[in-house]
Amino acid sequence: MLGSLLDLKPVETKRASEVIYDQIKEMITSGRLKPGDRLPSERAMMEMLQRSRPTIREALRMLERTGLIRTVAGSNGAIVQKPNTRSVEQALETALQTQALSISEIWEYRHLNETAIVEWAADRRTARDLEALDSILGQARESLEDPEAFIKYDPLFHAALARASKNTVAYLLSQILASSMVTLLDQRMAELDMKIQQAMCRKVLAMHEDIVVALRARDKESARRAMEAHIEAFHEDLKPGSAFVYD
């Protein structure tokens, strides 16, 4: 029969709000709408698109949830903004909290991504990148006795490494993962007494310093080994019930 030869699939009809969302999203991602541009008011969009206010509002809410626009109370139209990674970070945090993602999966990804980052950074880093890393290390060093304050410098350090790699994709992905790593570290620290927390901070700082020494020398192999050691130690220390080892 002819019907059995046709690869027919059900037709999906998008809601009007989704079509409007797609149109505006394409204008933003293509650069036709730029950060700071203002969208027409809800009333103007209703007239332009011949759709109801609830439909327009739903499309705008979708754009706001994905970080493409921001609404300002009392203003006449939403404002286009540079996309951010917060919505993805929140989804990743939720997945971690519900154990949809395992520590081992994160370790595998970090091993692949962050070892590449330090190799690129060893080749591409500038004097300004080194200054930024040194500044973060200095502030972290001053916070060694205060683990809660110290933890905040870990994502800053890894973000600075990613910037030094001069790879925008690597930087964005590292930003998405960073807040989740801090959440895990916070949870692990809460299980330890203050003496061990401070020792853990010293251990992390020493490993960060080793990475910067390798970058300063433009030594890709040493940078990779230092990052591998750091990620491996981080993975072991975050395992539930693991006994933290320190000198």
Side-chain angles (χ1 to χ4, degrees):
M1 294 178 61
L2 179 60
S4 64
L5 300 177
L6 297 177
D7 185 20
L8 296 176
K9 297 179 181 178
V11 176
E12 294 184 3
T13 303
K14 285 188 174 182
R15 294 181 301 168
S17 59
E18 293 175 337
V19 175
I20 296 168
Y21 164 81
D22 286 341
Q23 287 184 30
I24 298 175
K25 177 185 174 184
E26 191 280 328
M27 292 179 187
I28 295 172
T29 56
S30 68
R32 291 165 61 193
L33 286 174
K34 302 184 184 305
D37 287 348
R38 189 181 294 275
L39 298 182
S41 66
E42 287 184 4
R43 182 175 296 279
M45 292 179 73
M46 288 167 58
E47 294 175 358
M48 292 166 60
L49 298 165
Q50 296 295 297
R51 293 294 174 180
S52 66
R53 188 181 296 274
T55 297
I56 300 300
R57 284 185 173 173
E58 176 58 24
L60 293 175
R61 278 195 292 268
M62 292 166 67
L63 289 163
E64 190 167 21
R65 282 196 297 268
T66 52
L68 294 172
I69 65 169
R70 59 185 173 88
T71 56
V72 180
S75 68
N76 189 28
I79 299 172
V80 175
Q81 66 178 10
K82 185 177 180 180
N84 60 63
T85 61
R86 185 55 193 153
S87 59
V88 183
E89 290 171 11
Q90 290 172 333
L92 184 57
E93 286 174 7
T94 300
L96 286 169
Q97 290 163 1
T98 58
Q99 297 185 358
L101 296 177
S102 69
I103 298 296
S104 294
E105 288 174 313
I106 294 171
W107 173 80
E108 287 178 350
Y109 173 77
R110 290 192 74 200
H111 187 275
L112 178 68
N113 186 57
E114 298 205 35
T115 51
I117 282 175
V118 292
E119 287 190 333
W120 294 330
D123 273 342
R124 304 169 185 172
R125 62 84 179 157
T126 63
R128 190 170 182 177
D129 291 323
L130 290 178
E131 289 174 6
L133 288 163
D134 286 338
S135 175
I136 293 167
L137 288 179
Q139 294 174 77
R141 200 173 292 114
E142 293 175 0
S143 304
L144 280 173
E145 301 306 310
D146 183 358
E148 186 176 350
F150 179 90
I151 288 172
K152 294 179 174 61
Y153 292 105
D154 186 75
L156 296 179
F157 178 80
H158 286 275
L161 282 178
R163 277 195 294 270
S165 77
K166 305 299 184 281
N167 185 301
T168 304
V169 175
Y171 174 71
L172 290 174
L173 291 176
S174 70
Q175 288 291 92
I176 290 169
L177 200 58
S179 62
S180 298
M181 292 297 95
V182 171
T183 299
L184 287 172
L185 197 52
D186 274 334
Q187 293 170 351
R188 179 64 173 129
M189 287 289 212
E191 301 171 0
L192 307 172
D193 64 36
M194 181 58 69
K195 180 181 177 182
I196 296 180
Q197 286 186 41
Q198 291 169 343
M200 191 172 187
C201 292
R202 290 194 295 272
K203 179 179 178 180
V204 170
L205 178 62
M207 291 182 169
H208 284 180
E209 289 172 336
D210 287 344
I211 292 169
V212 173
V213 167
L215 295 190
R216 198 179 305 278
R218 296 193 184 277
D219 186 339
K220 291 171 61 174
E221 184 57 35
S222 293
R224 182 182 185 86
R225 286 198 303 268
M227 180 57 80
E228 286 176 339
H230 178 40
I231 294 171
E232 183 64 35
F234 190 84
H235 175 58
E236 289 299 320
D237 292 340
L238 285 181
K239 283 182 179 178
S242 64
F244 176 72
V245 178
Y246 64 97
D247 296 325

